[in-house]
């Protein structure tokens, strides 16, 4: 559910395939890198 919210808010890039979303691996890495930099 968290990923779904991140995709809809625009914080995480995704591609819609049929009725589901596919999140590229690099998008996950970029999001996590940004999240850890904000907390550090």
């Amino acid at each position: 559910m968290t990923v779904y919210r991140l995709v809809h808010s625009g914080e995480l890039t995704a591609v819609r395939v049929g009725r589901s979303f596919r999140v590229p691996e690099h998008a996950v890495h970029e999001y996590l890198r940004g999240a850890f930099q904000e907390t550090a």
Side-chain angles (χ1 to χ4, degrees):
M1 201 63 197
T2 300
V3 172
Y4 185 77
R5 278 189 235 120
L6 289 170
V7 168
H8 281 281
S9 70
E11 292 182 59
L12 190 60
T13 306
V15 177
R16 185 142 193 173
V17 179
R19 298 182 71 197
S20 62
F21 290 96
R22 301 289 186 235
V23 180
E25 186 176 351
H26 70 86
V28 175
H29 289 295
E30 287 176 18
Y31 176 78
L32 291 175
R33 186 176 14 257
F36 283 115
Q37 286 177 353
E38 290 175 13
T39 60

